[in-house]
Amino acid sequence: MKRFVYINDDEASKELCCDNRISNTKYNLWNFFPKNLLEQFSRFMNQYFLLIACLQLWSLITPVNPASTWGPLIFIFAVSASKEAWDDYHRYLSDKKANEREVWIVKHGIKTHIQAQDIQVGNIVWLRENDEVPCDLVLLGTSDPQGVCYVETAALDGETDLKTRVIPSACVGIDLELLHKMKGVIECPIPDKDIRRFDANMRLFPPFIDNDVCSLTIKNTLLQSCYLRNTEWACGVSVYTGNQTKLGMCRGVAEPKLTAMDAMIDKLTGAIFVFQIVVVMVLGVAGNVWKDTEARKQWYVQYPEEAPWYELLVIPLRFELLCSIMIPISIKVSLDLVKGLYAKFIEWDVEMVDQETGTASYAANTAISEDLGQVEYILTDKTGTLTDNKMIFRRCCIGGIFYGNENGDALKDTQLLDAITSGSTDVIRFLTVMAICNTVIPVRSKAGDIIYKAQSQDEDALVIAAAKLNMVFVGKNANLLELMFNGVMIRYEVLEILEFTSDRKRMSVVVKDCQNGKTILLSKGADESMLPSAYAGQQTRTIAEAVEHYAQLGLRTLCLAWRELEEDEYLEWSVKFKEASSVLVDREWRIAEVCQRLERDLTILGVTAIEDRLQDGVPETIETLRKAGINFWMLTGDKQNTAIQIALSCNFISPEPKGQLLLIDGKTEEDVSRSLERVLLTMRTTTSEPKDVAFVIDGWALEIALKHHRKDFVELAILSRTAICCRVTPSQKAQLVEILKSCDYRTLAIGDGGNDVRMIQQADIGVGISGREGLQAARAADYSIGRFRFLKRLILVHGRYSYNRTAFLSQYSFYKSLLICFIQIFFSFISGVSGTSLFNSVSLMAYNVFYTSVPVLVSVIDKDLSEATVMQHPQILFYCQAGRLLNPSTFAGWFGRSLFHAIVVFVITIHAYAYEKSEMEELGMVALSGCIWLQAFVVAQETNSFTVLQHLSIWGNLVGFYVLNFLFSAIPSSGMYTIMFRLCSQPSYWITMFLIVGAGMGPIFALKYYRYTYRPSKINILQQAERMGGPILTLGNIETQPRTIEKDLSPTSIMTQPKNRSPVYEPLLSESPNATRRSFGPGAPFEFFQSQSRLSSSSGYTRNCKDN
């Protein structure tokens, strides 16, 4: 599909009627309420509560005032709607500012001032220096005589270095006055979101040019939200406007990610719902039976002789309304609120601020903080993520001679300096390729120094190194390049640029030497793409050995080449290149095919070796996280040996003999199959040898493995703890993440460049590093950090605390709702199973919203262990990874606690007040008071680190309960008139509260004391050590038992029987039969603390792995 944009012609462009109004809002004044309500009621829980609220409007069945449900429901909806409205209003203000910005356009040949939102497709837009580009433009003219301008694209792709944009060849030489009158047509694709591609053609109408077709690329465009820099003015024709710009097409709301804890809460909610239905059916039947047998015998019960057809439904529906509070109505809002606070804690953490750049951490996704504490696999990029992305030229090999081997710095190698002084032809050609085979822009500072603006750190390092070796790139004036070598000015005219692509793995420039008129091809690229292109007679063995040698040192390598072109050859090729550049379909493939014809018979000049140092703290971070049971995969586009050396230096893998690397390679299906089978066999038969086993695979073998041997590769992924994947593409990175996710592992992907975006978005948690490659990864990620070492704190501190707090909050929310519901059920047994409510409507309405919410919300600052202890003992993350704090077993404990407390409250209350001829309202208030007292002590008991704020919230909330009820008791129409005054004046009331607290909390405290003293967990031991202030004792290393593979296991048996992964040993975390975790393989020791319990095995653990 394509569209035609007519330049400076409003009538012809009318069909492209989209104006330039930007709209990122979800709502407007007219659709906010219906649309927001529709979104809220798309959730099952909200639909359920709405149904309950509507049933309460039926006066025949409702046991309480409908306000008891409608009040909290409206309050919760209002909170959610207010948050949405607030966020949308800020989006509206941002849009309004952008839409009302004033710009210059040409209308009827005259420059006119209009608002940016009024720009139409086809308008000519004028920009001045530092102006923001209001829409996507095709450049027509600039203040530079050569038609060049500079743009900053940080708002688009995060890259802060300036980029060059040039006018199309058809516009060269057009006078400034004629630009106002320009007419023509642009044939371009329909709007898309690819910010790196624009394949279009332009034809100017006479008298400007004789209808020649001029091809357009992304180099000829100015995209929306970029800024014009170092250029006095520029003008262009608008081709995409409003939300149809490339940036506008990239906008959108990412699909929400469901955390493991959210999934568990949904399952528990479903279980409670089933339990509720069973209870309602049983009580409904019992109520109808009692009514037909016993109730009619009572003189005070007056049932009609003939009842309507729906009479049998009345009592079950009354119990449904009574039991509806089993599912806490406030849990969704409470979780959203505390998760938002968790995200703020990450942003406020001063220990996660990069002091070098001042970059703070940022949480773009506020809903998945607890998933950080359950990470099992980390998939990481290498360059810029593990390394600093500060490239330093260290060594080189030119013409078979190695430079920099002795002192590790080629720039100080006297042999190389002597070769430069003597004018060695090979060395001069080598330096020339280093200096000008790139897209670097030299800029003069105010002090007169040359500053290089490079899109690639490798290019920046090469140009700087060439300058230090006397080949100084001093200026770039349109297509004219100026070099200063030993005081002599050398000029080259750029004829064509063959840009780098991930498929070609090289870039080239065709230049003309202005001194002798020769046409030369300069190339640089990866060795696997350059060496096969060498001319037939050249011996490349030395070059290959140099590449291998530098890779083993962990250096990044590039091969440099040169070829002199015949004039006729170049002219013939240029015609084909122009034709390929003009096609709209498969342009990139056609250009690559044409480039291949020129990039042949090359003279390989030598190899550059660039050092990319590890970031500070990377080895320590990886070692700590591996102790926490997290597995690491490195996914990189670098050479295999380079990746292995980096992996060794950052504790990714262990050197021999402790570590073992298994290589998967091959260029054919048969070779890869044989290699994969060998590695799998080794993995399966590895027993208790203390070896750190990892596998290495390159992109070619990976593609074959995923296509033809996917099941075997998935089995390998399950068995291995560490993997190094080299020469992989962005799509392959995403595929590897998907494979691990398909086996129900929680994955975290971390990277810093645009090639990591797909991987980051595919993972359960995406982390971007605000690095030197720009902010593409950081913007696409759920979390962005300044340095890799902050990942340790992000996971161990913030992730673990978030998991612990959310686990408590969610289960406590169910506990308090079940407590009040069980009391209602018990009361039904002494009220004729009639569905009568013990509590009045005001109490029920305030119960969830006010009485029990404040202490829980303050639990977001609770810490079971200090941050220092958590960082010192990362092994305790196993408890979070295994889901030890929120699972059916722990939930059953809270369920039993609510049932026990309900029995205590009900029995004591009934025996204390039922025979005193008390009003039912008084009985209900005593029971409610007992619930509030118990919950205050439950929260206090579950709190690990008390602060003034927590004391105020727990005990202040208890005081607030009485203050509110004193106020309600003073209102005659409240239904509670004088009740609290009467109760509080009675000593029996306070004795009842004492008995309820003593009977309810006594066994709980006793059980906790027994477990804390005689059967402590590893966390309990650390807590005791912290409180005593003494050293933490350890047992040394506890080795996990090796994974065992059944002898009769076929190569794909693990995948053919996905529901039984018993061949993979998975140790227990404690004595609980439900606390299981997967094994981390042999050679994965972890220290624990002095305890009588030890890890034991379980053969019954299963994990479902989807068959791919």
Side-chain angles (χ1 to χ4, degrees):
M1 295 290 290
K2 57 187 177 182
R3 70 193 302 184
F4 293 92
V5 176
Y6 292 89
I7 303 172
N8 209 9
D9 191 337
D10 294 341
E11 293 298 323
S13 297
K14 270 187 177 178
E15 61 182 45
L16 305 174
C17 57
C18 177
D19 61 18
N20 198 41
R21 183 184 298 273
I22 298 171
S23 178
N24 295 305
T25 57
K26 290 174 60 178
Y27 312 101
N28 57 42
L29 287 176
W30 311 111
N31 69 7
F32 175 77
F33 285 105
K35 189 173 181 179
N36 184 262
L37 287 175
L38 184 65
E39 287 182 0
Q40 296 211 48
F41 285 121
S42 64
R43 303 169 188 148
F44 169 74
M45 287 182 64
N46 288 348
Q47 295 172 4
Y48 168 76
F49 289 125
L50 179 64
L51 175 63
I52 296 300
C54 291
L55 285 175
Q56 286 191 342
L57 297 176
W58 188 5
S59 60
L60 182 65
I61 66 171
T62 181
V64 294
N65 191 312
S68 63
T69 298
W70 281 101
L73 187 66
I74 292 173
F75 174 78
I76 289 169
F77 280 7
V79 170
S80 297
S82 299
K83 180 179 178 297
E84 287 284 327
W86 180 257
D87 292 342
D88 211 50
Y89 178 67
H90 281 280
R91 287 191 289 265
Y92 163 76
L93 292 180
S94 177
D95 292 344
K96 185 173 184 290
K97 182 178 179 181
N99 289 330
E100 295 181 356
R101 189 175 69 250
E102 292 190 341
V103 296
W104 289 95
I105 70 164
V106 174
K107 205 169 187 70
H108 306 300
I110 302 173
K111 286 173 67 176
T112 307
H113 228 185
I114 65 169
Q115 291 185 345
Q117 63 187 355
D118 296 326
I119 297 174
Q120 300 289 333
V121 172
N123 288 161
I124 295 179
V125 180
W126 286 76
L127 303 170
R128 292 171 296 183
E129 185 174 2
N130 298 324
D131 277 354
E132 182 180 355
V133 182
C135 58
D136 290 352
L137 307 175
V138 169
L139 200 59
L140 298 179
T142 74
S143 57
D144 185 87
Q146 304 297 326
V148 176
C149 71
Y150 302 100
V151 293
E152 179 187 298
T153 61
L156 190 68
D157 57 16
E159 296 179 6
T160 55
D161 292 320
L162 297 184
K163 294 183 176 62
T164 305
R165 294 294 183 260
V166 296
I167 63 175
S169 57
C171 299
V172 175
I174 297 179
D175 292 337
L176 174 61
E177 293 76 12
L178 294 178
L179 287 175
H180 294 185
K181 304 174 183 178
M182 182 178 289
K183 298 284 185 179
V185 63
I186 296 175
E187 180 186 11
C188 58
I190 60 173
D192 61 56
K193 59 183 179 180
D194 190 348
I195 63 173
R196 303 196 179 278
R197 174 182 288 186
F198 181 71
D199 299 335
N201 293 322
M202 181 173 69
R203 180 183 290 113
L204 298 182
F205 298 152
F208 297 96
I209 199 168
D210 190 16
N211 278 336
D212 281 351
V213 174
C214 173
S215 63
L216 304 175
T217 69
I218 198 68
K219 294 283 189 182
N220 306 121
T221 64
L222 301 177
L223 300 185
Q224 185 188 51
S225 293
C226 297
Y227 285 84
L228 187 68
R229 303 295 192 199
N230 297 346
T231 307
E232 187 178 343
W233 61 265
C235 70
V237 57
S238 58
V239 288
Y240 303 130
T241 54
N243 287 342
Q244 291 186 352
T245 62
K246 289 185 177 291
L247 182 61
M249 298 291 286
C250 289
R251 295 189 188 104
V253 180
E255 292 187 8
K257 295 182 177 180
L258 182 68
T259 67
M261 186 168 282
D262 286 337
M264 178 58 69
I265 291 173
D266 288 345
K267 292 177 182 177
L268 296 176
T269 302
I272 290 295
F273 179 73
V274 172
F275 173 74
Q276 174 189 317
I277 296 300
V278 172
V279 169
V280 167
M281 292 176 64
V282 171
L283 292 178
V285 170
N288 281 318
V289 170
W290 190 89
K291 181 186 70 174
D292 292 335
T293 56
E294 300 296 326
R296 297 186 186 279
K297 299 177 183 179
Q298 308 299 326
W299 62 269
Y300 53 86
V301 179
Q302 300 179 2
Y303 282 109
E305 293 296 330
E306 293 187 7
W309 62 270
Y310 53 78
E311 183 187 17
L312 290 176
L313 298 177
V314 171
I315 292 180
L317 288 176
R318 288 173 69 88
F319 276 111
E320 173 61 34
L321 296 180
L322 274 181
C323 296
S324 64
I325 58 174
M326 278 188 182
I327 301 175
I329 193 172
S330 60
I331 187 170
K332 177 69 171 59
V333 170
S334 299
L335 289 176
D336 287 346
L337 181 60
V338 298
K339 287 180 179 182
L341 287 174
Y342 300 155
K344 287 299 179 184
F345 291 159
I346 293 173
E347 296 176 5
W348 293 337
D349 192 341
V350 294
E351 294 188 40
M352 291 177 61
V353 176
D354 183 7
Q355 300 299 327
E356 182 180 343
T357 62
T359 303
S361 300
Y362 176 70
N365 191 335
T366 61
I368 61 173
S369 298
E370 65 271 21
D371 247 10
L372 287 167
Q374 296 192 281
V375 169
E376 297 164 290
Y377 274 84
I378 292 178
L379 299 98
T380 176
D381 177 42
K382 182 182 75 68
T383 304
T385 303
L386 300 176
T387 63
D388 245 334
N389 206 15
K390 290 182 179 178
M391 307 300 180
I392 303 174
F393 182 85
R394 286 300 185 193
R395 309 187 186 201
C396 63
C397 173
I398 307 174
I401 301 175
F402 288 81
Y403 299 103
N405 277 5
E406 293 183 3
N407 57 9
D409 188 356
L411 301 180
K412 298 178 181 179
D413 192 309
T414 54
Q415 187 179 4
L416 176 59
L417 297 177
D418 291 341
I420 295 172
T421 304
S422 63
S424 169
T425 304
D426 285 345
V427 172
I428 293 175
R429 287 177 178 176
F430 187 86
L431 295 179
T432 302
V433 177
M434 284 177 58
I436 64 176
C437 186
N438 51 57
T439 57
V440 174
I441 303 171
V443 178
R444 290 277 183 181
S445 66
K446 293 182 179 179
D449 299 326
I450 299 176
I451 301 174
Y452 296 112
K453 297 289 185 179
Q455 299 179 35
S456 161
Q457 297 298 320
D458 292 274
E459 290 187 344
D460 188 53
L462 292 177
V463 174
I464 291 174
K468 291 180 178 180
L469 295 172
N470 295 339
M471 186 67 74
V472 185
F473 185 17
V474 296
K476 185 173 185 179
N477 188 0
N479 291 332
L480 190 63
L481 308 179
E482 296 179 342
L483 298 177
M484 184 70 71
F485 179 66
N486 289 338
V488 178
M489 182 67 71
I490 306 173
R491 291 182 174 84
Y492 292 93
E493 179 187 356
V494 178
L495 302 179
E496 299 289 354
I497 297 178
L498 286 57
E499 295 184 355
F500 173 86
T501 66
S502 57
D503 293 327
R504 294 174 56 243
K505 295 184 179 179
R506 61 174 172 253
M507 82 156 290
S508 303
V509 293
V510 181
V511 297
K512 177 179 284 188
D513 189 333
C514 296
Q515 282 68 241
N516 54 31
K518 292 182 179 180
T519 303
I520 307 169
L521 173 72
L522 309 178
S523 295
K524 74 172 189 292
D527 57 288
E528 69 264 30
S529 69
M530 296 293 289
L531 296 184
S533 300
Y535 70 86
Q538 183 173 13
Q539 296 295 323
T540 59
R541 180 177 178 180
T542 305
I543 301 296
E545 290 175 352
V547 170
E548 187 72 16
H549 172 67
Y550 293 145
Q552 289 178 355
L553 297 176
L555 302 176
R556 297 163 60 88
T557 59
L558 283 173
C559 292
L560 275 54
W562 174 93
R563 180 163 83 94
E564 185 175 332
L565 304 177
E566 297 294 335
E567 187 71 18
D568 294 340
E569 178 189 7
Y570 166 70
L571 293 176
E572 181 183 352
W573 175 86
S574 181
V575 172
K576 294 178 180 178
F577 184 74
K578 185 176 180 181
E579 290 175 355
S581 302
S582 301
V583 299
L584 297 182
V585 180
D586 295 331
R587 178 182 289 187
E588 186 175 332
W589 179 82
R590 292 282 299 277
I591 290 177
E593 185 181 30
V594 174
C595 291
Q596 185 74 27
R597 299 177 182 178
L598 194 68
E599 294 170 326
R600 58 179 177 79
D601 298 332
L602 301 175
T603 300
I604 308 297
L605 299 172
V607 183
T608 63
I610 296 175
E611 179 186 52
D612 187 10
R613 292 180 177 176
L614 284 178
Q615 292 183 21
D616 293 338
V618 167
E620 296 80 5
T621 298
I622 292 177
E623 182 181 6
T624 300
L625 293 178
R626 282 169 66 88
K627 286 181 180 178
I630 297 176
N631 303 331
F632 275 86
W633 283 28
M634 179 194 292
L635 315 181
T636 178
D638 267 352
K639 285 183 61 63
Q640 185 179 103
N641 286 333
T642 303
I644 290 173
Q645 292 304 314
I646 293 295
L648 287 168
S649 62
C650 66
N651 290 332
F652 216 83
I653 52 177
S654 303
E656 291 285 355
K658 185 179 179 181
Q660 181 179 3
L661 279 178
L662 305 176
L663 181 61
I664 302 173
D665 57 4
K667 298 296 183 182
T668 66
E669 181 184 348
E670 183 180 354
D671 292 341
V672 172
S673 176
R674 191 183 308 112
S675 181
L676 183 59
E677 203 170 305
R678 184 188 70 251
V679 170
L680 266 176
L681 182 63
T682 304
M683 286 284 192
R684 293 191 191 116
T685 55
T686 300
T687 55
S688 58
E689 297 179 28
K691 281 208 171 190
D692 185 8
V693 182
F695 74 87
V696 183
I697 189 170
D698 62 22
W700 186 273
L702 178 63
E703 184 177 354
I704 296 174
L706 293 180
K707 185 176 181 181
H708 300 287
H709 306 283
R710 192 177 182 88
K711 288 184 178 181
D712 288 343
F713 186 80
V714 172
E715 180 187 349
L716 179 63
I718 293 172
L719 293 174
S720 63
R721 186 180 184 195
T722 306
I724 302 173
C725 304
C726 315
R727 300 293 196 192
V728 291
T729 64
S731 61
Q732 287 177 324
K733 290 183 178 182
Q735 282 180 286
L736 291 171
V737 173
E738 178 58 32
I739 283 175
L740 293 173
K741 284 179 63 179
S742 70
C743 296
D744 289 343
Y745 293 107
R746 308 305 294 182
T747 58
L748 181 149
I750 180 170
D752 74 316
N755 60 335
D756 301 317
V757 168
R758 292 184 63 181
M759 170 181 74
I760 286 172
Q761 292 177 331
Q762 184 68 46
D764 294 305
I765 303 168
V767 179
I769 291 184
S770 305
R772 298 175 181 272
E773 291 188 21
L775 301 175
Q776 304 100 308
R779 288 178 173 170
D782 301 303
Y783 300 93
S784 66
I785 56 179
R787 308 294 260 171
F788 183 85
R789 67 176 182 271
F790 297 150
L791 192 62
K792 176 169 64 175
R793 186 171 176 82
L794 184 68
I795 292 175
L796 296 181
V797 175
H798 294 286
R800 184 178 174 277
Y801 284 158
S802 297
Y803 173 82
N804 290 354
R805 294 160 179 168
T806 305
F808 167 71
L809 172 61
S810 55
Q811 293 178 116
Y812 176 82
S813 297
F814 280 103
Y815 158 79
K816 66 181 184 179
S817 296
L818 287 168
L819 171 62
I820 208 79
C821 186
F822 281 139
I823 294 175
Q824 296 274 48
I825 293 172
F826 295 150
F827 180 70
S828 69
F829 292 117
I830 63 171
S831 60
V833 201
S834 59
T836 303
S837 175
L838 175 61
F839 305 104
N840 63 58
S841 302
V842 175
S843 298
L844 286 177
M845 182 169 59
Y847 180 76
N848 273 321
V849 177
F850 300 111
Y851 296 157
T852 58
S853 295
V854 174
V856 164
L857 294 180
V858 179
S859 69
V860 297
I861 60 175
D862 185 41
K863 298 179 179 180
D864 61 335
L865 294 168
S866 68
E867 295 178 5
T869 301
V870 171
M871 299 288 273
Q872 184 182 352
H873 299 278
Q875 300 91 337
I876 57 176
L877 190 69
F878 290 161
Y879 287 85
C880 301
Q881 293 169 323
R884 284 290 307 277
L885 300 184
L886 178 61
N887 55 53
S889 297
T890 60
F891 185 78
W894 282 94
F895 185 92
R897 185 186 298 193
S898 65
L899 180 60
F900 169 66
H901 282 171
I903 293 173
V904 169
V905 171
F906 182 75
V907 171
I908 293 178
T909 301
I910 290 298
H911 281 78
Y913 277 87
Y915 302 105
E916 299 294 328
K917 296 182 181 180
S918 301
E919 299 177 10
M920 195 170 76
E921 285 78 6
E922 289 184 359
L923 192 67
M925 183 54 66
V926 173
L928 183 66
S929 300
C931 293
I932 301 302
W933 275 90
L934 278 177
Q935 288 172 40
F937 278 90
V938 166
V939 173
Q941 181 227 359
E942 295 295 332
T943 300
N944 296 286
S945 57
F946 279 101
T947 63
V948 174
L949 184 60
Q950 285 164 310
H951 278 296
L952 286 175
S953 67
I954 294 172
W955 312 119
N957 184 76
L958 193 60
V959 174
F961 165 75
Y962 285 98
V963 171
L964 282 175
N965 279 284
F966 275 125
L967 292 176
F968 288 138
S969 296
I971 302 173
S973 60
S974 66
M976 299 170 54
Y977 190 53
T978 71
I979 287 179
M980 188 55 75
F981 296 111
R982 281 182 280 155
L983 287 176
C984 290
S985 63
Q986 301 171 3
S988 59
Y989 172 80
W990 299 108
I991 294 173
T992 302
M993 293 302 105
F994 175 79
L995 290 175
I996 288 175
V997 172
M1001 296 305 300
I1004 304 295
F1005 281 122
L1007 180 61
K1008 182 174 182 179
Y1009 174 80
Y1010 170 76
R1011 294 181 62 181
Y1012 195 83
T1013 306
Y1014 299 105
R1015 297 191 63 184
S1017 68
K1018 307 303 182 289
I1019 293 176
N1020 296 150
I1021 294 172
L1022 287 175
Q1023 289 172 332
Q1024 292 180 40
E1026 278 191 349
R1027 289 166 186 169
M1028 294 173 62
I1032 299 174
L1033 302 177
T1034 67
L1035 286 175
N1037 289 344
I1038 299 179
E1039 298 284 348
T1040 58
Q1041 293 185 17
R1043 53 168 103 75
T1044 58
I1045 302 293
E1046 301 295 316
K1047 291 184 179 180
D1048 57 347
L1049 198 65
S1050 64
T1052 59
S1053 60
I1054 285 185
M1055 292 307 301
T1056 55
Q1057 299 175 356
K1059 293 184 183 261
N1060 184 10
R1061 267 179 47 191
S1062 58
V1064 184
Y1065 168 69
E1066 315 226 4
L1068 291 178
L1069 282 175
S1070 72
E1071 301 78 14
S1072 168
N1074 295 311
T1076 55
R1077 274 291 296 139
R1078 74 175 45 80
S1079 152
F1080 300 106
F1086 51 92
E1087 283 193 3
F1088 259 139
F1089 337 99
Q1090 186 166 345
S1091 170
Q1092 297 174 359
S1093 62
R1094 297 185 64 86
L1095 302 180
S1096 58
S1097 65
S1098 170
S1099 61
Y1101 182 90
T1102 61
R1103 176 185 285 279
N1104 294 336
C1105 184
K1106 300 165 192 169
D1107 193 345
N1108 291 280

